[in-house]
Amino acid sequence: MTTTATAARPRRARRRLRLADGVWRLRMMTLAGIATVLITRAYLAATGYPRIGGGGIHIGHVVWGGLLMIAALTVALVWAGDRARVWTALLGGVGIGLFVDEVGKYLTTTNDYFYRPAAAIIYLVFAALLVLAALLGRDTAASGAGDASGAAGASGASERLAGAAQIAANGLVSGLTPDERDHATRLLDGCADQDRDAVLRLLAQAQHRDPGRLTRAVERVRGWTEWIAGLRWTETVVFVLLILSRVIVAIIFIAQAAGGEPHSTDAGAITASAFTRGASAVLTIAAVVMRIRGRRLTAYRLAKAAILLDLIVTEVFNFHDSQFGAVAELPHLVLAFVFISIWQRQVEAQTSPAS
């Protein structure tokens, strides 16, 4: 009978609790890694690729990358608090950047630092990390906005409670900024009274902390971006530049692929780019048509799909063919993606049932 009762008992689902600021720290680590690769490549090119060591010994910067990743793990395992997580993200990001920058040496028997696919591999690593951060951030937001009824609601409430408790515990070590305190308080909405009161007491014990320089800089940039996005002609300028750049570049690559571009270092990359850039151009044209017809949300989704296709797929081929010169194409794509994301969120907020 005991065995039967035990077998009939519902199996408890296992949940992996995420840190409240984990997605932001993942983005910070990735951006630190990207900056490290670009700075390292620029420095080595400017100094003629010096060798550190003598005789048959060469201390590559992958060694320093490994040491920095060890340092990041040490900080994460030993210390608690906001400052420790910042150092973990920065040290880990720089270490990953130094490590992955020498990927060409790991994949070739000749230890070729200039192995052509290396640039594409490096780009793909960091693009994958940013995509992962975006997916985790969207998943976290969706779980936090769930209905407070039923099993799903109970699960969401427990996760929000745990997130608020994490922020409160972190505040006991590092203090809390007003935004962090408000965020933790909002997470407690819908939680059981006794649980909410317990976490609120912890929040009350946390000392006040002014936002750091990095946080203030990020908030300032975010404010400027939203202000520019709200200007009258910004949307028109973004869509015009987006369609001109996507369509013109697609035509150029299709012509190169069809004519067998003699100056191309990799015809396969040119051909693949022609297909993906052509698809991106079609999506962009469709987005403009939808925007003219007044279907703003559909237009923004199509435009984001076109940009994501370029960022996730096309740029891999671009880095393989053009090496790190492909970086020049990224800023306007990223800016267009940011602006369109802002407008999409505004439209979704206006059309949501709760509004």
Side-chain angles (χ1 to χ4, degrees):
M1 183 179 296
T2 303
T3 305
T4 305
T6 303
R9 185 180 303 164
R11 188 172 182 178
R12 195 171 184 177
R14 295 182 181 179
R15 294 197 302 270
R16 293 177 175 84
L17 184 63
R18 299 173 188 164
L19 292 174
D21 59 352
V23 173
W24 162 238
R25 302 305 178 197
L26 177 58
R27 290 195 183 102
M28 182 188 297
M29 182 191 74
T30 305
L31 294 176
I34 293 171
T36 299
V37 171
L38 295 178
I39 293 172
T40 300
R41 291 272 171 168
Y43 171 77
L44 291 178
T47 56
Y49 301 94
R51 295 178 61 88
I52 301 177
I57 296 177
H58 169 58
I59 305 175
H61 48 273
V62 65
V63 176
W64 307 111
L67 292 175
L68 286 174
M69 285 189 283
I70 292 174
L73 288 171
T74 302
V75 172
L77 292 172
V78 175
W79 285 282
D82 181 75
R83 184 174 298 179
R85 288 206 286 276
V86 169
W87 278 107
T88 297
L90 292 178
L91 291 174
V94 175
I96 291 172
L98 293 174
F99 174 83
V100 77
D101 184 60
E102 293 203 319
V103 65
K105 291 186 175 182
Y106 321 143
L107 300 179
T108 59
T109 57
T110 56
N111 295 325
D112 186 6
Y113 180 70
F114 302 102
Y115 181 53
R116 289 201 63 80
I121 294 171
I122 293 171
Y123 176 83
L124 189 58
V125 168
F126 289 120
L129 287 174
L130 289 175
V131 169
L132 176 62
L135 293 175
L136 291 175
R138 184 177 61 182
D139 186 37
T140 301
S143 65
D147 186 9
S149 63
S155 174
S158 64
E159 290 178 359
R160 294 196 304 274
L161 176 66
Q166 287 176 9
I167 296 174
N170 182 64
L172 296 177
V173 178
S174 305
L176 292 176
T177 65
D179 287 341
E180 290 171 339
R181 199 181 299 272
D182 291 342
H183 177 54
T185 304
R186 288 196 302 271
L187 288 174
L188 294 172
D189 292 341
C191 297
D193 291 342
Q194 58 181 3
D195 296 333
R196 183 176 67 251
D197 293 341
V199 177
L200 286 175
R201 286 194 294 270
L202 286 178
L203 290 172
Q205 296 296 321
Q207 296 182 353
H208 172 80
R209 175 171 59 86
D210 292 326
R213 294 180 180 178
L214 179 61
T215 301
R216 293 198 301 270
V218 171
E219 290 299 326
R220 192 176 298 114
V221 171
R222 183 177 298 164
W224 290 342
T225 304
E226 292 181 353
W227 177 76
I228 294 173
L231 295 178
R232 184 176 180 181
W233 301 107
T234 303
E235 186 174 353
T236 302
V237 171
V238 168
F239 269 99
V240 169
L241 293 178
L242 188 62
I243 193 170
L244 287 177
S245 62
R246 297 303 89 199
V247 173
I248 292 174
V249 171
I251 292 174
I252 293 174
F253 271 80
I254 291 173
Q256 290 178 349
E261 176 61 35
H263 303 293
S264 174
T265 55
D266 193 318
I270 292 293
T271 303
S273 293
F275 279 107
T276 57
R277 291 180 188 274
S280 176
V282 170
L283 289 171
T284 303
I285 293 172
V288 173
V289 171
M290 291 296 104
R291 184 64 187 91
I292 293 174
R293 292 182 176 179
R295 299 175 60 179
R296 297 178 62 191
L297 188 57
T298 303
Y300 298 147
R301 288 173 176 170
L302 287 171
K304 284 182 67 175
I307 297 173
L308 286 173
L309 177 61
D310 281 335
L311 288 174
I312 299 175
V313 181
T314 304
E315 288 303 316
V316 176
F317 302 118
N318 194 21
F319 271 83
H320 179 76
D321 181 64
S322 303
Q323 297 296 283
F324 285 92
V327 172
E329 192 176 359
L330 295 178
H332 82 276
L333 286 174
V334 173
L335 284 176
F337 184 82
V338 169
F339 283 128
I340 291 172
S341 297
I342 293 174
W343 298 324
Q344 180 181 349
R345 286 197 302 269
Q346 291 173 351
V347 173
E348 288 176 342
Q350 294 170 0
T351 58
S352 62
S355 63

Coordinates of all heavy atoms in Angstrom, one line a residue, residues 63-79 84-96:
V63 N 46.3 32.4 -23.1 CA 46.7 32.1 -21.7 C 46.2 33.1 -20.8 O 45.6 32.7 -19.7 CB 48.3 32.1 -21.6 CG1 48.7 31.8 -20.2 CG2 48.9 31.0 -22.5
W64 N 46.3 34.4 -21.1 CA 45.7 35.4 -20.3 C 44.2 35.3 -20.2 O 43.6 35.6 -19.2 CB 46.1 36.8 -20.8 CG 47.6 36.9 -20.9 CD1 48.3 37.1 -22.1 CD2 48.6 36.9 -19.9 NE1 49.6 37.1 -21.9 CE2 49.9 37.0 -20.5 CE3 48.6 36.8 -18.5 CZ2 51.1 37.0 -19.8 CZ3 49.8 36.8 -17.8 CH2 51.0 36.9 -18.5
G65 N 43.6 34.9 -21.3 CA 42.2 34.7 -21.4 C 41.7 33.6 -20.4 O 40.8 33.7 -19.7
G66 N 42.5 32.5 -20.4 CA 42.2 31.4 -19.5 C 42.3 31.8 -18.0 O 41.5 31.5 -17.2
L67 N 43.4 32.6 -17.7 CA 43.6 33.1 -16.4 C 42.4 34.0 -15.9 O 42.0 33.9 -14.8 CB 44.9 33.8 -16.2 CG 46.2 32.9 -16.4 CD1 47.4 33.7 -16.4 CD2 46.2 31.8 -15.3
L68 N 42.0 34.9 -16.8 CA 40.9 35.8 -16.5 C 39.6 35.0 -16.3 O 38.8 35.4 -15.4 CB 40.7 36.8 -17.6 CG 41.8 37.9 -17.6 CD1 41.6 38.8 -18.8 CD2 41.8 38.8 -16.3
M69 N 39.3 34.0 -17.0 CA 38.1 33.2 -16.8 C 38.2 32.4 -15.5 O 37.2 32.3 -14.8 CB 37.9 32.2 -18.0 CG 37.4 32.9 -19.2 SD 36.9 31.7 -20.5 CE 38.5 31.2 -21.2
I70 N 39.4 32.0 -15.1 CA 39.6 31.4 -13.8 C 39.3 32.4 -12.7 O 38.6 32.1 -11.7 CB 41.0 30.8 -13.6 CG1 41.2 29.6 -14.5 CG2 41.2 30.4 -12.2 CD1 42.6 29.0 -14.6
A71 N 39.8 33.6 -12.9 CA 39.5 34.7 -11.9 C 38.0 35.0 -11.8 O 37.5 35.2 -10.7 CB 40.3 36.0 -12.3
A72 N 37.3 35.0 -12.9 CA 35.9 35.3 -12.9 C 35.2 34.2 -12.2 O 34.3 34.5 -11.3 CB 35.4 35.4 -14.4
L73 N 35.5 32.9 -12.4 CA 34.9 31.8 -11.6 C 35.2 31.9 -10.2 O 34.3 31.7 -9.3 CB 35.4 30.5 -12.2 CG 34.8 30.1 -13.6 CD1 35.6 28.9 -14.1 CD2 33.4 29.9 -13.5
T74 N 36.4 32.3 -9.8 CA 36.7 32.5 -8.4 C 35.9 33.5 -7.7 O 35.4 33.3 -6.6 CB 38.2 32.8 -8.3 OG1 39.0 31.8 -8.9 CG2 38.6 32.9 -6.8
V75 N 35.7 34.7 -8.4 CA 34.9 35.7 -7.8 C 33.5 35.3 -7.7 O 32.8 35.5 -6.6 CB 35.0 37.0 -8.7 CG1 34.0 38.0 -8.3 CG2 36.4 37.6 -8.7
A76 N 32.9 34.6 -8.7 CA 31.6 34.1 -8.6 C 31.3 33.1 -7.5 O 30.3 33.0 -6.9 CB 31.2 33.5 -10.0
L77 N 32.3 32.2 -7.3 CA 32.2 31.2 -6.3 C 32.4 31.7 -4.8 O 31.9 31.1 -3.9 CB 33.2 30.0 -6.6 CG 32.9 29.2 -7.9 CD1 34.0 28.3 -8.1 CD2 31.6 28.5 -7.7
V78 N 33.2 32.7 -4.7 CA 33.6 33.1 -3.3 C 32.8 34.3 -2.8 O 32.4 34.3 -1.6 CB 35.1 33.4 -3.3 CG1 35.5 34.0 -1.9 CG2 35.9 32.2 -3.7
W79 N 32.5 35.3 -3.6 CA 31.9 36.6 -3.2 C 30.5 36.7 -3.6 O 30.1 36.2 -4.7 CB 32.8 37.8 -3.6 CG 34.0 37.9 -2.9 CD1 34.2 38.4 -1.6 CD2 35.3 37.5 -3.3 NE1 35.5 38.4 -1.3 CE2 36.2 37.9 -2.3 CE3 35.8 37.0 -4.5 CZ2 37.6 37.6 -2.4 CZ3 37.2 36.7 -4.6 CH2 38.1 37.0 -3.5
A84 N 30.4 41.9 -7.1 CA 31.1 40.6 -7.4 C 30.5 40.1 -8.8 O 31.3 39.6 -9.6 CB 30.8 39.6 -6.3
R85 N 29.2 40.3 -9.0 CA 28.7 39.8 -10.3 C 29.1 40.7 -11.4 O 29.3 40.2 -12.6 CB 27.2 39.8 -10.2 CG 26.7 38.6 -9.3 CD 25.3 38.2 -9.7 NE 24.2 39.2 -9.3 CZ 23.7 39.2 -8.1 NH1 24.1 38.3 -7.2 NH2 22.8 40.1 -7.8
V86 N 29.3 42.0 -11.2 CA 29.9 42.9 -12.2 C 31.3 42.4 -12.6 O 31.6 42.3 -13.8 CB 29.9 44.4 -11.8 CG1 30.7 45.2 -12.7 CG2 28.4 44.9 -11.7
W87 N 32.1 42.2 -11.6 CA 33.5 41.7 -11.9 C 33.5 40.4 -12.5 O 34.3 40.1 -13.4 CB 34.3 41.7 -10.6 CG 34.8 43.0 -10.2 CD1 34.4 43.8 -9.2 CD2 35.9 43.7 -10.9 NE1 35.2 45.0 -9.1 CE2 36.1 45.0 -10.2 CE3 36.7 43.5 -11.9 CZ2 37.1 45.9 -10.5 CZ3 37.7 44.4 -12.3 CH2 37.8 45.6 -11.6
T88 N 32.6 39.5 -12.2 CA 32.5 38.2 -12.8 C 32.2 38.4 -14.3 O 32.8 37.7 -15.2 CB 31.4 37.3 -12.2 OG1 31.7 37.1 -10.8 CG2 31.2 36.0 -12.9
A89 N 31.2 39.2 -14.6 CA 30.8 39.4 -16.0 C 32.0 40.1 -16.8 O 32.3 39.7 -17.9 CB 29.6 40.3 -16.1
L90 N 32.6 41.1 -16.2 CA 33.7 41.8 -17.0 C 34.9 40.9 -17.1 O 35.5 40.8 -18.3 CB 34.1 43.1 -16.2 CG 33.0 44.2 -16.2 CD1 33.5 45.4 -15.4 CD2 32.6 44.6 -17.6
L91 N 35.4 40.3 -16.1 CA 36.6 39.4 -16.2 C 36.3 38.2 -17.1 O 37.1 37.8 -17.9 CB 37.0 38.9 -14.8 CG 37.5 39.9 -13.8 CD1 37.8 39.3 -12.4 CD2 38.9 40.5 -14.3
G92 N 35.1 37.6 -17.0 CA 34.7 36.5 -17.8 C 34.6 36.9 -19.3 O 35.1 36.2 -20.2
G93 N 34.1 38.1 -19.5 CA 33.9 38.6 -20.9 C 35.3 38.9 -21.6 O 35.5 38.4 -22.7
V94 N 36.2 39.5 -20.8 CA 37.5 39.8 -21.4 C 38.2 38.5 -21.6 O 38.9 38.3 -22.6 CB 38.3 40.7 -20.4 CG1 39.7 40.9 -20.9 CG2 37.6 42.1 -20.3
G95 N 38.1 37.5 -20.7 CA 38.8 36.2 -20.8 C 38.2 35.5 -22.0 O 39.0 34.9 -22.8
I96 N 36.9 35.5 -22.2 CA 36.3 34.8 -23.4 C 36.8 35.4 -24.6 O 37.1 34.7 -25.6 CB 34.8 34.8 -23.3 CG1 34.3 33.9 -22.1 CG2 34.2 34.3 -24.6 CD1 32.9 34.0 -21.8

